[in-house]
């Protein structure tokens, strides 16, 4: 069971949340102009990363707000939790302790 | 007792050769599908100068972790065709492979708990019959007669309103299936190379000409990917994407019990599937963990949920103890159907996306994937399961249609 730190409600059990898959997938800017291949990419193709993966979660039985999470898909360690609309934090850099990338309280597997 | 008093080690079922410098074809993934593919390449297409590369130990991935259910009662014509072909192969393979892997046609029941379930089930029985798949609709009393330990009373949250039943379905000993294929592959000259992890591909333009491994470079004319949960990782190395997501799927067994469960029971709605292994363990599984994961383990609440479902349907399980739980990584597609066919890379082929139900498909995956690799074009049975279907829109949507408990 993951212990997930909701940005609004604090650490809660995984069972309070629902998964939303890969984060930062934007709706096509010009849907009319898309080829079948591009539609296929948008509808059916998502990254399937082994390692650090940016994904969306929603706190269904709490504040009901969506947020983003950077999680390792092998160790399941939660590396960062950040708000919708914010870019994926760069965990390679040493100075990750910014408002964009808060190390979640109780982020364990 | 000292070691010299032990009996002789039994004969090994396959050699453990060093990889050669080149092969006519290389299969990546030494699970059930990879081994079955190699077997049919050798047997049906005379390709014996081939290798199966396995990064761990033979059949140690999903082949060792599934709940061994074999059935073909899928809704859509394309699925019924390929899974029914698989079931027919299961019926002859013990003899053909000269290995009794305890294929037991004890039937599979898919329970209905809502009016929607009932309508879907009766529709599927009709579709199955039209496709030559044995199927019948059972009322709750008939369900009880076939499986007396099932609770069909109306004192539970979702009472049993009936079930579909496929008598020819059943279970088999998964490890023995892999060993049976491995032994035959070995006899036919196929090199099975364990502890051999693919780290990259050699390409000449857009054509694959070799694989790089932790045991050196192997040149080859053709590459078949059969790596289930790790298919996306291999595809990325080769320079293309696959529309699949890897999820943990957990299963569990109880301690050994005397035979109490004569068939296989699956419930999509309260979500658990249960059979009793030959040895006596109750074998159970349910849905995937919701998040993407490569960790071969999932969250405990998923196990808790399926246990609750099992105890509601089978009250006598309340005092049974869980012996162990485990997880595998399943490669799911958006339409819950597999991908078997060509890829954007020349001479590279892919068999993936079997998701939570790949074990039952093993023989047909092997047969059709071997055909695809040998001839460069798909077999009639796997033609609809192409990568292109996500572009053309010709999806084979078995989500909620195939009694699939994803």
């Amino acid at each position: 069971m993951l212990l997930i730190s909701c940005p609004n409600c604090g650490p809660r059990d995984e069972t309070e949340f629902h998964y939303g898959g890969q984060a930062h997938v934007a709706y096509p800017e010009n849907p009319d102009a898309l080829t079948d291949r591009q539609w296929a990419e948008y509808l059916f193709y998502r990254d399937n990363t082994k390692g650090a993966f940016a994904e969306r979660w929603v706190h269904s039985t709490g504040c009901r707000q969506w947020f983003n999470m950077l999680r390792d898909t092998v160790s399941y360690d939660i590396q960062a939790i950040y708000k919708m609309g914010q870019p994926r934090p760069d965990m390679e850099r040493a100075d990750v302790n910014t408002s964009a990338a808060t190390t979640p309280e109780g982020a364990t597997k | 007792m000292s070691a010299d008093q032990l009996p002789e080690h039994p004969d090994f079922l396959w050699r453990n050769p060093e990889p050669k410098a080149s092969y006519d074809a290389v299969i990546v993934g030494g699970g059930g599908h990879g081994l079955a593919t190699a077997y049919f390449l050798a047997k049906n297409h005379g390709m014996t100068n081939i290798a199966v590369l396995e990064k761990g130990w033979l059949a140690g991935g999903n082949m060792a972790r599934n709940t061994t259910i074999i059935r073909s009662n899928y809704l859509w014509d394309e699925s019924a065709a390929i899974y029914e072909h698989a079931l027919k192969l299961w019926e002859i393979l013990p003899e053909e492979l000269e290995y009794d892997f305890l294929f037991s046609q004890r039937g599979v029941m898919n329970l209905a708990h809502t009016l929607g379930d009932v309508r879907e089930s009766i529709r599927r029985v009709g579709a199955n019959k039209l496709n030559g798949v044995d199927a019948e609709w059972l009322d709750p009393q008939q369900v009880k007669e076939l499986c007396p330990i099932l609770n069909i009373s109306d004192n539970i949250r979702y009472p049993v309103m009936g079930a579909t039943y496929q008598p020819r379905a059943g279970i088999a000993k998964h490890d023995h299936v892999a060993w049976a294929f491995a032994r035959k592959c070995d006899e036919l000259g196929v090199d099975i190379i364990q502890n051999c992890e693919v780290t990259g591909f050699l390409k000449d333009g857009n054509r694959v000409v070799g694989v790089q491994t932790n045991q050196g470079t192997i040149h080859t004319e053709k590459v078949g990917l059969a790596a289930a949960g790790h298919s996306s990782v291999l595809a990325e190395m080769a320079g293309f994407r696959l529309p699949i997501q890897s999820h943990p799927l957990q299963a569990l067994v109880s301690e050994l019990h005397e035979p109490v469960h004569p068939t296989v029971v699956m419930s999509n709605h309260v979500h658990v599937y249960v059979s009793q292994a030959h040895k006596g363990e109750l074998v159970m599984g349910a849905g995937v963990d919701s998040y993407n994961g490569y960790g071969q383990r999932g969250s405990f609440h998923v196990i808790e949920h399926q246990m609750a479902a099992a105890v509601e349907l089978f009250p006598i399980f309340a005092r049974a103890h869980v012996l162990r739980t485990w997880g595998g990584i399943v490669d799911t597609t958006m339409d819950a159907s597999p991908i078997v066919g060509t890829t954007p890379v020349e001479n590279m082929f892919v068999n993936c996306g079997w998701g939570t139900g790949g074990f039952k498909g093993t023989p047909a995956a092997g047969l059709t994937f071997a055909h695809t690799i040998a001839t460069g074009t798909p077999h009639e049975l796997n033609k609809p399961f192409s990568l292109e279907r996500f572009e053309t829109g010709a999806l084979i949507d078995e989500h909620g249609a195939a009694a699939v408990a994803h």
Side-chain angles (χ1 to χ4, degrees):
Chain A
M1 171 100 65
L2 304 176
L3 183 60
I4 298 172
S5 273
C6 170
N8 303 309
C9 311
R12 300 288 185 88
D13 280 347
E14 180 196 336
T15 47
E16 293 193 12
F17 298 83
H18 276 99
Y19 189 59
Q22 185 184 351
H24 312 301
V25 180
Y27 188 78
E29 278 193 28
N30 294 306
D32 297 352
L34 257 51
T35 63
D36 288 352
R37 175 69 211 170
Q38 287 166 324
W39 270 120
E41 288 276 341
Y42 174 67
L43 290 172
F44 301 119
Y45 284 74
R46 292 291 179 273
D47 290 346
N48 192 20
T49 310
K50 185 179 183 181
F53 185 54
E55 60 195 16
R56 297 174 309 172
W57 289 79
V58 61
H59 192 186
S60 316
T61 62
C63 60
R64 301 197 290 171
Q65 299 298 302
W66 285 91
F67 57 92
N68 293 321
M69 184 192 287
L70 197 60
R71 187 180 57 92
D72 189 305
T73 58
V74 181
S75 67
Y76 302 165
D77 280 334
I78 296 168
Q79 299 171 338
I81 285 175
Y82 55 105
K83 290 186 174 171
M84 297 301 287
Q86 289 189 334
R88 172 182 168 144
D90 183 1
M91 302 304 286
E92 301 288 297
R93 288 165 48 200
D95 56 339
V96 289
N97 194 15
T98 65
S99 61
T102 52
T103 304
E105 193 187 332
T108 60
K109 40 178 187 289
Chain B
M1 194 169 82
S2 63
D4 56 357
Q5 287 174 285
L6 292 171
E8 288 286 303
H9 192 288
D11 290 341
F12 287 95
L13 297 178
W14 58 87
R15 300 161 292 129
N16 277 300
E18 295 291 313
K20 290 194 268 186
S22 82
Y23 291 97
D24 295 340
V26 164
I27 309 297
V28 184
H33 285 210
L35 292 167
T37 303
Y39 169 70
F40 285 111
L41 273 173
K43 176 185 163 253
N44 290 358
H45 305 279
M47 290 179 71
T48 53
N49 181 33
I50 62 175
V52 178
L53 311 184
E54 167 53 49
K55 76 169 173 173
W57 65 94
L58 185 126
N62 294 346
M63 193 62 177
R65 295 157 197 267
N66 65 81
T67 50
T68 80
I69 298 171
I70 294 167
R71 62 188 177 89
S72 63
N73 55 347
Y74 281 66
L75 177 69
W76 300 114
D77 296 349
E78 298 87 346
S79 315
I82 196 165
Y83 287 107
E84 176 59 20
H85 196 84
L87 181 49
K88 289 200 168 82
L89 288 171
W90 281 113
E91 287 170 334
I92 60 167
L93 275 173
E95 196 176 335
E96 184 173 318
L97 299 176
E98 299 173 290
Y99 197 122
D100 179 12
F101 48 72
L102 301 179
F103 177 44
S104 163
Q105 292 178 290
R106 58 182 66 186
V108 167
M109 225 186 253
N110 294 95
L111 301 181
H113 301 274
T114 66
L115 189 57
D117 278 359
V118 171
R119 288 172 176 158
E120 177 279 321
S121 300
I122 291 171
R123 176 194 183 198
R124 183 160 42 78
V125 165
N128 286 166
K129 284 179 173 168
L130 288 171
N131 276 319
V133 175
D134 58 322
E136 48 195 278
W137 168 252
L138 307 178
D139 65 28
Q141 205 50 50
Q142 291 170 308
V143 167
K144 184 79 176 171
E145 278 160 27
L146 263 167
C147 187
I149 57 171
L150 256 173
N151 180 12
I152 59 158
S153 72
D154 59 4
N155 65 357
I156 57 174
R157 177 67 184 85
Y158 296 103
V160 174
M161 295 174 71
T164 66
Y165 185 59
Q166 183 179 20
R168 284 165 59 244
I171 56 173
K173 289 286 275 185
H174 48 151
D175 294 332
H176 291 250
V177 172
W179 301 340
F181 274 119
R183 186 181 64 163
K184 273 291 169 204
C185 282
D186 188 78
E187 275 176 24
L188 290 163
V190 176
D191 281 359
I192 297 167
I193 301 159
Q194 301 179 77
N195 301 309
C196 184
E197 181 168 4
V198 171
T199 54
F201 294 100
L202 297 176
K203 284 173 29 174
D204 178 7
N206 188 40
R207 187 162 54 91
V208 68
V209 293
V211 292
Q212 290 159 321
T213 77
N214 61 351
Q215 295 192 33
T217 298
I218 301 170
H219 294 274
T220 183
E221 288 172 25
K222 293 174 173 198
V223 173
L225 308 178
H230 274 80
S231 299
S232 298
V233 177
L234 290 170
E236 194 182 341
M237 284 178 199
F240 67 98
R241 290 180 94 197
L242 287 169
I244 64 176
Q245 298 279 283
S246 295
H247 288 271
L249 176 62
Q250 303 184 75
L252 64 94
V253 290
S254 74
E255 294 166 321
L256 307 188
H257 294 284
E258 62 184 78
V260 290
H261 187 355
T263 179
V264 180
V265 171
M266 308 180 70
S267 167
N268 221 355
H269 198 80
V270 299
H271 219 172
V272 69
Y273 35 92
V274 189
S275 68
Q276 188 167 18
H278 295 84
K279 242 189 324 179
E281 310 103 310
L282 299 165
V283 183
M284 300 182 206
V288 298
D289 277 68
S290 64
Y291 48 76
N292 288 25
Y294 283 86
Q296 290 190 319
R297 63 185 190 286
S299 295
F300 189 71
H301 68 89
V302 177
I303 293 282
E304 232 176 344
H305 188 73
Q306 76 188 56
M307 292 294 278
V311 170
E312 176 148 286
L313 293 172
F314 301 91
I316 67 164
F317 292 178
R319 302 288 293 275
H321 294 156
V322 170
L323 185 65
R324 61 180 190 277
T325 76
W326 64 90
I329 315 167
V330 297
D331 41 334
T332 61
T333 58
M334 290 290 270
D335 62 354
S337 287
I339 299 164
V340 187
T342 55
T343 73
V345 177
E346 213 180 312
N347 288 357
M348 182 176 281
F349 306 89
V350 70
N351 168 70
C352 69
W354 290 83
T356 62
F359 177 71
K360 71 173 84 69
T362 301
L367 181 93
T368 60
F369 197 37
H371 178 100
T372 309
I373 293 169
T375 65
T377 52
H379 187 277
E380 276 305 311
L381 287 170
N382 68 313
K383 201 180 277 176
F385 296 95
S386 69
L387 195 50
E388 288 77 28
R389 75 176 185 271
F390 297 95
E391 227 168 290
T392 61
L395 301 177
I396 303 155
D397 191 3
E398 290 290 354
H399 261 303
V404 185
H406 286 299

